[in-house]
Every structure is written in structure tokens, then in C-alpha cells.
């Protein structure tokens, strides 16, 4: 099958000398405005290097962009309802839990705090729904996944368009800037955190960011801290690893989480979504302590469970969206963004899915219950894994998803340490729409869309994680097709 192609915003290639000169300008802009990351190879806290980025904004159909933006509050609410439906979460995750220790550990914490009686009924969600364009059927967006934990790049995605606008001006194309949508992701996400803080309503309370031992994606975290500090100078923000939380926090008799003598109002997890972030029982104990506390968690443990791939697959099964959303037009709009999602449980449907994937493995992606990139299987690996797992309970921890084939666009990816100029290459883009929601089971206090991000990768790469070094940050250039 040949992939469709979208035209770049200006004719490419650029003339060599001009290209070299604008890349130099773009790199300096990026460095001087914090579109950066720490160097994995030569780590030092004294410097950042550029985050990989695409030199020019990548085309994205305006109608599909608008559709994704408009759907975000609908999806936020859907996920909120899913997270508060105990029976649905339990049934959906049941089989996966038996073979997936990590998800089982999260689930056990949820059951424990729920049975004890939740000390905090409010949840804060800083979500991101990710999409690829599907062709050839009319270039419509299909959801890749819905992130409920540590949804990243809100800060960098909010800054990058200014660099791209600068580059378009330097190329004598300022009239193109009108097709670049405003992106208020950083302020939108941070105001979610401060709204939750205000709902907590305890004087001198603090905000806690749960971070990895080493934060390579430091700009994308610190900008949140700077933004909150500027808007709300009275609020102190702490950064702690789960190990440090184990050592340094306590629960008082009111179940407040106490750090450095202060009650914690909001706990924002930028770590805690993958097994390596819990190297020992201490980190799990720390997680349990936080979940037991009155702090408002972003995400709460049930939000995190609602963001599993297994839940995504279950939502696509017949009648499930209707159960949560009724039979109205919004349900149809959500169903339209789903691509084929199949359970691999040991039942008739699961067997059918295995046969279907073995017959044409290239059409599918095999996904375990993991976040953070690099865990999925593609092509011949799908076949190999299914042949190996066919009769093993292990397969219930995976879902099968139809592979989305996005349109190609030519572009230049600028990477730290790479030769300049880079070659003109075929790329594909993945759009992420951020959403903020705060609520209890019965009441939603805020629910809105909050900016976007575009991540672009080489067309022949399976995955495009920016932090993992595969993808590049990008900005959408809206096309009226
Ligand atoms: P993770 O939680 O690891 O980010 P994702 O579901 O987002 O898992 O998958 C990681 C990446 O793999 C995506 O960003 C996308 O590039 C690619 N990918 C995932 N699902 C599909 C799919 N159905 N079709 C094509 N590419 C996909
Ligand atoms: Mg993802």
C-alpha cells in the first residue's frame, strides 16, 4: 500500500547555504528559550542541549485538528467516568492482572485505598490524547492512546511554535504564520494544578512533583514549576523521587501527607508509570502512602488504571461507549476515532484476534500494559510473539491494535550532535491534545482542552518517543484541504 503524502508548508529542499544558516538560528533560539534536554551520554546539570525538533511546522488538516480539540473535554469526561466505575475497571483488567505484576501492584493499591475509604475524593487529570492520521480512508484522525499519567511535552510544545514562527520570518514567509494555531499548553496544564491546589484549600500547603532520579527531560518539568511560581508566588514546589518520598514524608492523624513540615496539596507524578521507577518495595510503599493521603493526586491511582491499554481496548468493544456516554452524537464521534482494537483473552474473540494477526502481522501492533514508549511490537515481531504466547496466559496482558498508516511529509529533523544540514527525509506526525479535568465521582469542577503537541518521526520508524531519542518536537501547520 502506498502512503498518502501531504505537501510541506514551503517547497523543499531549501538551498544549502540558507538551510545551514536557519538551522543555526533555530538551534540558538531553542537553546536560549529552553527547548532543550539533558544529554544522556555526557550528563551534567550544568548544561542542556537542544531537544530534537523539526525545522518547519508539519502540515496537519485543520478539520481533523479542530475535531481533536473539540473532542478533548468529551474524552476527559469519558475517562473520568471509566476511572470511577469500579466494576468496569475490575472486569476489564482482571485477566491482565494475573500475568502483569506492575499493573497488579497499581491495582492492589487502588483496592486498598478504596476499601479503607479514600481520604481524597478529588482527582486531577492532566491528560493527553494522541492521534495519527489514517489514510487512505480520507485522512481522518485515529487515536493511538490516551495518556493519563505523566503526559509530557506541554511546556516544550508551547515554546517551540515561537521558534518556528521566527524561522518562517527568517525565510521570508511571515504570511504562513497565521496557519499555526496558538498553543497554551503550559499555562493550561499549570492552571489545572493550581486550581486543584485551591480546592485543597489548606494554607501553607505545598505541591510535590514526583520525579525520576535523573530527569533528562528537565525543561519540560521545570517550566511548569517556573510558571506556577510566577503566577502563584506563595506556593512552594518540591521535587522528590519515590525513594525520597519514602524517606522524607509522613502521614499525620488527618491523613495529610507531610513533607518538610508542610501538608502536600497536590502530587504531580512525572515518574511512577513504569516498573523501573519502582526499584524496590520502598517505592511501592511510598506510592501507597501518597495514595492514602489527602493530597490531590495527578493522576489518582484509578485515573492511572483507566489509562491502561486494556481499558482503551475494552472501550472499543460493542456497547461499551454507549454504557458510559449514552447513544447520542458524541458517542459516534468518539467511536470514529477508534481504530481496530482487540482483546487477546482466552475466549472466542481472543482466538479470532490471534488468527487474524498471524494471517497478516504487518497490519497490527501488539501492545503490553506499559507506558513510556519502546514496549510495543510490530510486523514480524507480532507474529513471533503470538506464536510464542498463543497457549500462554501471558497473552492476556497484551492488546492487539490495527496499525495506523499516517501520511508522509518531507522535512528536516534537527538533532543534537548530528551533521548539519540534515537530509530531507520522509516523516510522519503524531498529534497530542492536552486536557485538564478535576472532579470527584459525582461532580466535575473543571474540564477543558489545554493546548496540543506534535511529535514527528522518520516515516520508517515504528515509534517516535522524543525523550527516547526517536522522535522530534514539531508544530502543526493547519491545512485547508
Ligand atoms: P506508549 O504508552 O509506550 O507511548 P503508544 O500506544 O503511544 O504507547 O505507542 C507508542 C508509539 O508507537 C506511538 O507514539 C506511535 O508512534 C506508535 N504506535 C502505537 N500504536 C500504533 C498504531 N496502532 N499504528 C501505528 N503506530 C502506532
Ligand atoms: Mg504514547
Amino acid at each position: 500500500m502506498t502512503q498518502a503524502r501531504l505537501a510541506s508548508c514551503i517547497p523543499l529542499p531549501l538551498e544549502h547555504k540558507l538551510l545551514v544558516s536557519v538551522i543555526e538560528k533555530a538551534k540558538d533560539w531553542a537553546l536560549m528559550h529552553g527547548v532543550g534536554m539533558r544529554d544522556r551520554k555526557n550528563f551534567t546539570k550544568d548544561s542542556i542541549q537542544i531537544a530534537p525538533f523539526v525545522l518547519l511546522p508539519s502540515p496537519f488538516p485543520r478539520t481533523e485538528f479542530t475535531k481533536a480539540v473539540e473532542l478533548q473535554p468529551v474524552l476527559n469526561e469519558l475517562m473520568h467516568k471509566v476511572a470511577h466505575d469500579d466494576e468496569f475497571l475490575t472486569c476489564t483488567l482482571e485477566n491482565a492482572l494475573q500475568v502483569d505484576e506492575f499493573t497488579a501492584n497499581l491495582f492492589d493499591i487502588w483496592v486498598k485505598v478504596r476499601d479503607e475509604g479514600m481520604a481524597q475524593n478529588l482527582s486531577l487529570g492532566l491528560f493527553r490524547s494522541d492521534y495519527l492520521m489514517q489514510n487512505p480512508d480520507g485522512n481522518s484522525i485515529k487515536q493511538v492512546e490516551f495518556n493519563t499519567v505523566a503526559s509530557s511535552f506541554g511546556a516544550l510544545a508551547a515554546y517551540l511554535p515561537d521558534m518556528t514562527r521566527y524561522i518562517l520570518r527568517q525565510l521570508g514567509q511571515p504570511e504562513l504564520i497565521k496557519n499555526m494555531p496558538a498553543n497554551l499548553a503550559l499555562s493550561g496544564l499549570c492552571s489545572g494544578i493550581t486550581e486543584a491546589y485551591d480546592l485543597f484549600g489548606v494554607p501553607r500547603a505545598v505541591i510535590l512533583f514526583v520525579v525520576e532520579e535523573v530527569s533528562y527531560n528537565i525543561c519540560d518539568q521545570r517550566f511548569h514549576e517556573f510558571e506556577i511560581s510566577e503566577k502563584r508566588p506563595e506556593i512552594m514546589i518540591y521535587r522528590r523521587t519515590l525513594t525520597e518520598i519514602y524517606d522524607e514524608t509522613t502521614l499525620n492523624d488527618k491523613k495529610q501527607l507531610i513533607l518538610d513540615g508542610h501538608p502536600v496539596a497536590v502530587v504531580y507524578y512525572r515518574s511512577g508509570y513504569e516498573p523501573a521507577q519502582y526499584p524496590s518495595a520502598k517505592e511501592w510503599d511510598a506510592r501507597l502512602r501518597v495514595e492514602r493521603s489527602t493530597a490531590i493526586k495527578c493522576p489518582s491511582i484509578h485515573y492511572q488504571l483507566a489509562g491502561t491499554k486494556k481499558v482503551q481496548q475494552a472501550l472499543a468493544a460493542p456497547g461499551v461507549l454507549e454504557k458510559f456516554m449514552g447513544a447520542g452524537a458524541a458517542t459516534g464521534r468518539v467511536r470514529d476515532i477508534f481504530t481496530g482494537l482487540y482483546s487477546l483473552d482466552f475466549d472466542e474473540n481472543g482466538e479470532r484476534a490471534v488468527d487474524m494477526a498471524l494471517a497478516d502481522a504487518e497490519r497490527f501492533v501488539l501492545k503490553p500494559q506499559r507506558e513510556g514508549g519502546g514496549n510495543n511490537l510490530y510486523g514480524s515481531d507480532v507474529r513471533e510473539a503470538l506464536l510464542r504466547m498463543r497457549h500462554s496466559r501471558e497473552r492476556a496482558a497484551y492488546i492487539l491494535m490495527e496499525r495506523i498508516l499516517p501520511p508522509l511529509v518531507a522535512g528536516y529533523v534537527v538533532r543534537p550532535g548530528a551533521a548539519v544540514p540534515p537530509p530531507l527525509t520522509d516523516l510522519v506526525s503524531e498529534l497530542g491534545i492536552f486536557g485538564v479535568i478535576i472532579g470527584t465521582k459525582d461532580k466535575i469542577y473543571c474540564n477543558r482542552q489545554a493546548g496540543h503537541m506534535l511529535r514527528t518521526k522518520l516515516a520508517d520508524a515504528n515509534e517516535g518517543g522524543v525523550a527516547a531519542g526517536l522522535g522530534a518536537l514539531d508544530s502543526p501547520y493547519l491545512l485547508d484541504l
Side-chain angles (χ1 to χ4, degrees), residues 145 309 367 371 373 376 378 401-402 404 430 457 463:
E145 68 158 343
K309 311 274 190 289
K367 299 189 175 187
E371 301 297 324
N376 301 336
Y378 301 83
M401 183 171 184
E402 223 165 276
I404 309 163
E430 183 169 342
K457 63 179 180 182
E463 298 203 11

Side-chain angles (χ1 to χ4, degrees), residues 40 60 103 130 169 220 226 233 272 277 302 327 395 436 441 451 455 457:
R40 281 177 191 269
F60 204 93
T103 313
D130 289 341
R169 292 195 299 274
D220 197 58
F226 303 160
Q277 294 162 343
H302 40 301
R395 84 177 204 204
V436 176
K441 185 172 179 155
R455 217 171 4 165
K457 63 179 180 182

Side-chain angles (χ1 to χ4, degrees), residues 151-331:
S151 313
S152 58
F153 292 114
L156 296 193
Y159 286 123
L160 188 75
D162 279 335
M163 183 211 77
T164 318
R165 291 184 190 99
Y166 165 64
I167 295 303
L168 287 175
R169 292 195 299 274
Q170 296 303 303
L171 289 168
Q173 306 277 354
E175 75 285 357
L176 299 186
I177 289 171
K178 65 177 184 304
N179 294 319
M180 294 183 59
N183 192 0
L184 301 177
L186 178 62
S187 55
L189 295 171
C190 289
S191 65
I193 296 177
T194 52
E195 278 169 57
Y197 180 91
D198 291 338
L199 283 167
F200 189 74
V202 175
R204 294 182 59 252
V206 300
I207 293 173
L208 170 60
F209 282 28
V210 183
V211 296
E212 317 101 298
E213 216 154 293
V214 182
S215 296
Y216 295 104
N217 195 10
I218 188 71
C219 300
D220 197 58
Q221 297 178 7
R222 284 287 191 202
F223 278 130
H224 292 251
E225 295 180 46
F226 303 160
E227 166 80 12
I228 294 170
S229 177
E230 205 161 305
K231 297 256 170 77
R232 298 291 297 271
E234 78 282 12
I235 302 178
M236 290 302 292
I237 300 179
Y238 288 75
R239 293 170 64 81
R240 292 288 186 275
T241 63
L242 282 167
T243 323
E244 288 165 341
I245 291 171
Y246 177 85
D247 290 331
E248 296 178 35
T249 65
T250 51
L251 284 187
N252 70 10
D253 54 356
K254 290 190 271 184
K255 288 205 181 176
Q256 288 176 324
L257 184 71
I258 304 295
L259 171 62
D260 204 16
H262 300 280
V264 178
V266 179
V267 177
Y268 175 37
Y269 289 101
R270 290 297 297 250
S271 176
Y273 53 85
E274 63 181 24
Q277 294 162 343
Y278 299 82
S280 71
K282 275 189 189 179
E283 290 73 27
W284 285 112
D285 284 353
R287 179 77 196 247
L288 176 61
R289 191 183 305 156
V290 172
E291 297 303 325
R292 272 182 168 147
S293 77
T294 58
I296 299 173
K297 277 73 73 179
C298 176
S300 56
I301 192 103
H302 40 301
Y303 269 11
Q304 187 168 352
L305 290 170
T308 51
K309 311 274 190 289
K310 193 65 203 163
V311 166
Q312 181 188 9
Q313 174 262 308
L315 284 173
V320 178
L321 277 183
E322 285 76 5
K323 165 182 149 67
F324 287 107
M325 300 177 60
T331 304

Side-chain angles (χ1 to χ4, degrees), residues 345-410:
D345 286 346
F346 280 96
D347 56 19
E348 205 181 307
N349 288 336
E351 292 307 322
R352 209 176 308 135
V354 171
D355 287 341
M356 187 172 63
L358 286 177
D360 192 359
E362 291 296 329
R363 266 185 55 213
F364 298 97
V365 183
L366 192 59
K367 299 189 175 187
Q369 308 306 305
R370 287 289 173 275
E371 301 297 324
N375 302 299
N376 301 336
L377 300 175
Y378 301 83
S380 59
D381 291 342
V382 171
R383 204 183 139 70
E384 217 170 280
L386 283 178
L387 286 173
R388 177 173 56 78
M389 298 190 298
R390 177 154 210 171
H391 303 292
S392 146
R393 291 197 312 163
E394 191 191 346
R395 84 177 204 204
Y398 288 77
I399 64 157
L400 187 70
M401 183 171 184
E402 223 165 276
R403 184 159 191 170
I404 309 163
L405 262 191
L408 306 173
V409 59

Side-chain angles (χ1 to χ4, degrees), residues 13-157:
L14 294 179
E15 186 271 319
H16 179 88
K17 214 163 147 195
L18 178 64
L19 178 60
V20 171
S21 135
V22 288
I23 286 178
E24 196 171 318
K25 290 177 185 179
K27 282 186 173 184
D28 285 345
W29 196 103
L31 277 177
M32 291 174 197
H33 294 80
V35 180
M37 281 184 181
R38 288 220 165 105
D39 186 349
R40 281 177 191 269
K41 284 195 209 109
N42 302 301
F43 180 84
T44 159
K45 286 190 176 174
D46 291 347
S47 63
I48 56 163
Q49 55 179 200
I50 56 160
F53 61 82
V54 181
L55 183 66
L56 298 167
S58 290
F60 204 93
R62 188 186 301 273
T63 49
E64 296 303 303
F65 179 84
T66 308
K67 187 201 282 180
V69 165
E70 288 174 357
L71 268 179
Q72 190 61 37
V74 177
L75 295 173
N76 290 344
E77 188 178 338
L78 169 66
M79 298 310 283
H80 181 83
K81 286 185 183 160
V82 167
H84 288 91
D85 187 325
D86 296 4
E87 194 190 333
F88 178 76
L89 273 189
T90 307
C91 290
T92 302
L93 293 172
E94 198 173 27
N95 291 335
L97 295 179
Q98 293 177 17
V99 279
D100 182 340
E101 193 188 343
F102 178 70
T103 313
N105 284 341
L106 293 174
F107 191 87
D108 287 348
I109 291 179
W110 174 60
V111 170
K112 208 171 268 174
V113 292
R114 194 192 60 189
D115 292 352
E116 285 172 6
M118 296 258 183
Q120 178 55 263
N121 290 317
L122 281 167
S123 294
L124 166 62
L126 301 182
F127 296 156
R128 201 187 70 215
S129 184
D130 289 341
Y131 304 93
L132 286 167
M133 296 273 297
Q134 169 76 305
N135 72 66
D137 73 341
N139 277 334
S140 60
I141 44 167
K142 294 291 173 193
Q143 187 179 52
V144 173
E145 68 158 343
F146 193 91
N147 299 283
T148 58
V149 58
S151 313
S152 58
F153 292 114
L156 296 193

